[in-house]
Amino acid sequence: MNKFVKVLWGIGFWLVSLTWGALMTIPGLIITGFCIIFLKGKLHRNGFSYIVEIGGNWGGLDLGAVALCGNYYPGDWYEHTRRHEFGHAVQQLIFGPLQVFIVGIPSAIRYWYQRLTPGPHQEHDQAIYEYTASKWGYIWINKIEGTNLKYTFKRK
């Protein structure tokens, strides 16, 4: 993706995120700002969006065009998490205000159920909304950053 096209896509991403996706993005910007100021969160670029690292080993939380995540660990876990969270940002561009109901609430319920009950549990990406977030995140981050990492998970 050349620089001009990347800039146009970036403008489009933020334009749609701040209009059609405003239900998640506006509170997300406020929450991530709070985390940067008061929790000393570290801001990282993530495709066209941003991700704020706030510590711990807990995964990530999509907040529209921005996301929160656990500690930055260079390597597979963090790389997958940041791509996955960007995939949720792409879902937000498609579903807009419905993303909270189609993806956000079911994902939160599933996360807390698996965290609070004894396993074994399905892998995270077995749920279609998690699988598509990862798949789209890998596709788009590869295009934006000029990388070629493969998403190899296969749904059962």
Side-chain angles (χ1 to χ4, degrees):
M1 186 179 293
N2 71 43
K3 189 170 178 95
F4 179 73
V5 172
K6 196 183 292 188
V7 168
L8 288 179
W9 274 101
I11 291 168
F13 174 86
W14 280 98
L15 183 65
V16 174
S17 293
L18 292 169
T19 54
W20 176 241
L23 184 65
M24 289 287 287
T25 298
I26 302 292
L29 290 169
I30 294 166
I31 292 166
T32 55
F34 175 88
C35 290
I36 291 168
I37 293 167
F38 297 106
L39 301 178
K40 306 288 189 249
K42 296 176 190 157
L43 185 67
H44 301 278
R45 184 123 192 225
N46 190 32
F48 297 126
S49 68
Y50 291 90
I51 196 163
V52 177
E53 170 196 342
I54 60 171
N57 184 13
W58 56 273
L61 173 66
D62 171 63
L63 297 168
V66 292
L68 300 174
C69 78
N71 283 334
Y72 176 79
Y73 297 107
D76 294 344
W77 177 85
Y78 183 80
E79 191 59 36
H80 175 77
T81 300
R82 79 179 191 90
R83 288 168 182 266
H84 176 83
E85 296 308 326
F86 185 73
H88 281 309
V90 173
Q91 289 174 329
Q92 177 246 169
L93 298 177
I94 296 165
F95 299 129
L98 299 177
Q99 201 247 7
V100 173
F101 305 103
I102 296 171
V103 178
I105 294 170
S107 182
I109 291 169
R110 188 167 182 265
Y111 171 83
W112 283 107
Y113 172 77
Q114 289 185 343
R115 187 150 180 144
L116 298 174
T117 60
H121 299 293
Q122 284 186 334
E123 290 185 61
H124 185 72
D125 284 0
Q126 281 296 340
I128 189 70
Y129 48 85
E130 302 296 357
Y131 172 78
T132 55
S134 292
K135 187 170 183 164
W136 294 346
Y138 273 76
I139 290 168
W140 279 100
I141 295 288
N142 281 341
K143 287 179 188 283
I144 295 163
E145 296 179 357
T147 56
N148 195 28
L149 289 177
K150 302 288 185 219
Y151 176 59
T152 57
F153 182 80
K154 301 288 184 217
R155 287 187 72 230
K156 295 176 185 167

